[in-house]
Amino acid sequence: MICVSIARGRHRHVMAEHRHLVQQGAQLVELRLDYIGGEVNLKRLLADRPSPVVITCRRERDGGKWAGTDEQRLMLLRSAIAEGVEYVDLEDDIASQIPRYGKTKRIISLHDYRKTPDDLNEIHARLASHDPDIIKLATTANQSHDNLRMLELVARSKVPTVGICMGDIGTPSRLLAGRFGAPFTFATFHHERTLAPGQLSYQQMTDIYHYDQIDAQTTVYGVIGDPIGHSLSPMVHNAAFRRQGINAVYIPFRVPREHLSQFLEDAPALGIKGLSVTIPHKEAVLKKLSSSDATMTGVGAANTLLFDNGKIAGFNTDYQAALDSLEQALEAHYGRKGSLEGQAALVLGAGGAAKAIAFGLKQLGAVVTIAGRTGQRAQQLADGLKCKTLDWNNRYAFQPDLLVNCTPVGMHPNVDATPYDKHHLRPSMVVFDTVYNPENTLLIKDARSQSCTVVTGVEMFVRQACLQFKLFTGQEAPSELMRDVLKRATGPAKY
Ligand code: NAP
């Protein structure tokens, strides 16, 4: 179950949001009395409430906005209990001053906005001594491992426990709460009005993650990277799992570089069977693999991991997806199966995507030149692949048959930028932009206007996601659905 927090300054807005949420299917709503401006009229808020409520009134030190005195706050909480609310949230230091009464269930809570304390078990035991029906622990995740510590505590606890790690590193604990036995998790009314860092909206929880269908049997997949908030992979993969009727969820895991090893150790205990890998981990994960194939060793980066019996296998679906997308474009360009043998390819950028694509192009016989902003990085890549480099400022020095943008230039929100000036594009060129958000980057628009053959990053993204889906589940991916979801998420096509 999802408990949706409502934090509005006016009674009528609280009540309107409450009604709206229940119409959307919400079963439990938290009313944050500390957000209400002026005197709180409990009777008005509770009279015709359309669902059970949790009444909460937080002090500033617990992350709230209560401006009145402590005594007034206690009075308000006692009055809520007297009104027969379903749940009342009591911080552990005041819980003993508000005894159990009537049918109201007691949530004994503790918030830590700085860390997830080492003595989590002792804190939990202390909260358990205050006659709780439910214990709520909300602490800040400073490391990925905090999620597992919190969720294992939730699973072990005899008292139903809502254990949540705040911050974007902690978002997985919100999504996996139910899988580990928490009675509910928290969400906000709107994703732009979060009350705690890392919180998702009710709509995101239900429409993207289908939270209420996550149970102890749900297989966990996800994407690791840092940052990760922008990733569209959760939308695409979760839609595919749902379409195929697979009990699985795909979660964004923000994993800073220094936490990668610990996270990979924790993954099986979190229920993880497979992961997508993005910046900055694609190369670093190679050291952690139990097995890798020749392609991946050649590319020097993995974007997919499978966990099985303590072993981690790595794959690179970017490489295959890029080549398949190009092959399709060449066929359209030449009206028959095209060949890259002897074609001059200019790859812009020298990061993970450039590595995978340049390696693939070399395998297919193209003559590859790398133009990278940081000369040393481009040279390193070129040395490994035995190809040439061009200084970034000299990238127009020759006219390639194939231009591949492997830099983020042109990506949302910098949609007016292009890595390659329109006037250097020729109709004979094939232009491949790996950027997929938006699909129609300025480079793609310019290339179309110059009658070049184009390959968009959406094509590559969908193909690599479909290959991952097959590796994860053994099933063919619903590629059209995944394409639709991605296109909808990246905005309407302008061509
Ligand atoms: P990466 O490892 O961080 O590499 C990025 C490369 O772009 C680096 O060489 C970097 O130069 C260069 N760069 C960054 N900003 C630049 C700028 N303003 N001007 C010139 N060069 C710049 O990232 P990646 O994983 O290779 O990803 C690169 C792009 O590929 C991203 O936009 C991503 O969306 C796209 N991609 C798409 C797919 C897909 O499925 N469609 C899959 C993977 C990646 P320095 O070396 O100087 O830092």
Side-chain angles (χ1 to χ4, degrees):
M1 183 162 59
I2 302 171
C3 178
V4 194
S5 303
I6 299 179
R8 296 301 301 264
R10 305 180 71 156
H11 290 75
R12 67 186 166 90
H13 291 152
V14 174
M15 293 187 298
E17 286 193 1
H18 193 169
R19 278 193 302 275
H20 177 80
L21 282 166
V22 171
Q23 279 161 11
Q24 304 296 307
Q27 294 168 296
L28 181 62
V29 161
E30 178 187 46
L31 304 182
R32 287 287 299 264
L33 303 187
D34 49 307
Y35 274 75
I36 291 180
E39 199 170 329
V40 177
N41 185 339
L42 264 181
K43 283 196 189 309
R44 187 173 166 209
L45 290 178
L46 298 174
D48 295 315
R49 61 185 179 278
S51 79
V53 292
V54 175
I55 289 295
T56 301
C57 187
R58 289 251 185 275
R59 299 165 290 204
E60 275 182 21
R61 69 183 222 219
D62 298 310
K65 287 196 180 299
W66 178 250
T69 65
D70 277 357
E71 198 39 50
Q72 287 167 328
R73 193 171 78 98
L74 297 192
M75 275 302 294
L76 204 50
L77 293 169
R78 287 190 192 105
S79 307
I81 296 171
E83 289 293 332
V85 297
E86 288 74 16
Y87 298 91
V88 65
D89 182 308
L90 306 172
E91 296 86 4
D92 71 321
D93 63 307
I94 61 150
S96 60
Q97 298 173 54
I98 301 187
R100 180 178 288 280
Y101 176 77
K103 289 191 177 156
T104 301
K105 292 192 170 151
R106 293 159 59 86
I107 301 175
I108 308 298
S109 69
L110 178 128
H111 290 72
D112 188 326
Y113 280 86
R114 286 188 303 119
K115 61 184 184 309
T116 297
D118 291 339
D119 56 345
L120 214 47
N121 291 328
E122 285 80 359
I123 291 172
H124 186 267
R126 193 177 79 221
L127 302 194
S129 71
H130 290 300
D131 186 22
D133 293 286
I134 291 174
I135 290 174
K136 179 188 176 194
L137 269 168
T139 63
T140 297
N142 294 319
Q143 19 197 333
S144 314
H145 185 56
D146 291 338
N147 286 306
L148 183 61
R149 288 206 295 130
M150 183 61 91
L151 290 169
E152 285 187 335
L153 173 68
V154 168
R156 268 197 316 270
S157 172
K158 292 200 175 67
V159 183
T161 296
V162 177
I164 278 169
C165 288
M166 296 182 283
D168 50 3
I169 292 179
T171 299
S173 67
R174 298 178 179 278
L175 288 165
L176 292 176
R179 190 181 185 281
F180 284 77
F184 51 82
T185 191
F186 281 88
T188 52
F189 178 78
H190 193 274
H191 69 271
E192 282 170 5
R193 291 214 313 262
T194 54
L195 303 183
Q199 221 173 17
L200 298 169
S201 70
Y202 178 69
Q203 206 180 0
Q204 288 170 316
M205 282 272 190
T206 51
D207 292 1
I208 301 175
Y209 299 99
H210 310 289
Y211 178 85
D212 281 331
Q213 290 175 27
I214 298 174
D215 58 26
Q217 276 69 50
T218 302
T219 308
V220 181
Y221 297 96
V223 54
I224 54 169
D226 185 19
I228 203 62
H230 65 285
S231 176
L232 298 172
S233 294
M235 247 183 226
V236 170
H237 281 282
N238 283 313
F241 288 143
R242 192 165 165 81
R243 168 66 63 85
Q244 305 300 86
I246 297 170
N247 184 6
V249 65
Y250 185 103
I251 289 176
F253 293 98
R254 184 183 154 222
V255 179
R257 259 181 223 277
E258 60 276 21
H259 303 160
L260 178 64
S261 294
Q262 181 67 52
F263 180 82
L264 294 177
E265 266 177 48
D266 290 350
L270 286 166
I272 294 173
K273 287 277 164 50
L275 287 173
S276 310
V277 182
T278 187
I279 301 168
H281 302 310
K282 283 185 180 178
E283 290 159 22
V285 290
L286 290 190
K287 289 197 211 94
K288 313 287 175 190
L289 302 182
S290 320
S291 66
S292 50
D293 57 23
T295 301
M296 221 183 49
T297 315
V299 172
N303 77 332
T304 312
L305 305 181
L306 292 186
F307 294 78
D308 189 23
N309 271 330
K311 297 214 160 79
I312 310 176
F315 305 85
N316 193 310
T317 66
D318 280 342
Y319 157 86
Q320 194 58 48
L323 292 193
D324 290 350
S325 308
L326 262 176
E327 210 161 70
Q328 193 188 37
L330 289 176
E331 218 170 314
H333 190 67
Y334 294 112
R336 59 182 158 77
K337 249 189 156 18
S339 164
L340 282 166
E341 186 70 44
Q343 302 263 324
L346 177 60
V347 174
L348 303 177
K355 223 170 179 177
I357 293 176
F359 174 79
L361 293 173
K362 280 282 290 183
Q363 297 284 95
L364 297 180
V367 181
V368 178
T369 302
I370 316 271
R373 181 178 63 172
T374 307
Q376 198 188 0
R377 201 175 176 192
Q379 193 59 54
Q380 230 170 17
L381 174 56
D383 288 348
L385 293 174
K386 301 202 174 11
C387 60
K388 289 180 277 184
T389 55
L390 261 184
D391 190 67
W392 179 254
N393 294 326
N394 207 17
R395 60 194 182 283
Y396 304 112
F398 80 105
Q399 270 184 13
D401 303 308
L402 170 62
L403 175 73
V404 191
N405 175 35
C406 295
T407 76
V409 179
M411 191 163 88
H412 179 81
N414 302 315
V415 295
D416 293 329
T418 175
Y420 201 83
D421 195 88
K422 180 178 177 175
H423 305 293
H424 294 277
L425 295 167
R426 299 284 170 267
S428 59
M429 282 164 74
V430 175
V431 176
F432 179 6
D433 195 346
T434 61
V435 171
Y436 56 87
N437 187 10
E439 177 171 25
N440 290 299
T441 57
L442 183 55
L443 174 61
I444 289 287
K445 287 192 231 174
D446 287 345
R448 282 206 176 101
S449 75
Q450 301 292 70
S451 304
C452 306
T453 296
V454 301
V455 185
T456 73
V458 162
E459 198 50 48
M460 174 178 165
F461 185 95
V462 171
R463 283 177 195 267
Q464 64 79 25
C466 288
L467 290 165
Q468 285 186 331
F469 187 90
K470 179 91 194 266
L471 286 166
F472 290 159
T473 65
Q475 297 187 20
E476 290 305 326
S479 56
E480 280 315 310
L481 170 82
M482 291 163 88
R483 183 173 282 104
D484 283 354
V485 171
L486 185 66
K487 285 196 180 229
R488 249 183 288 132
T490 55
K494 294 180 185 70
Y495 280 88

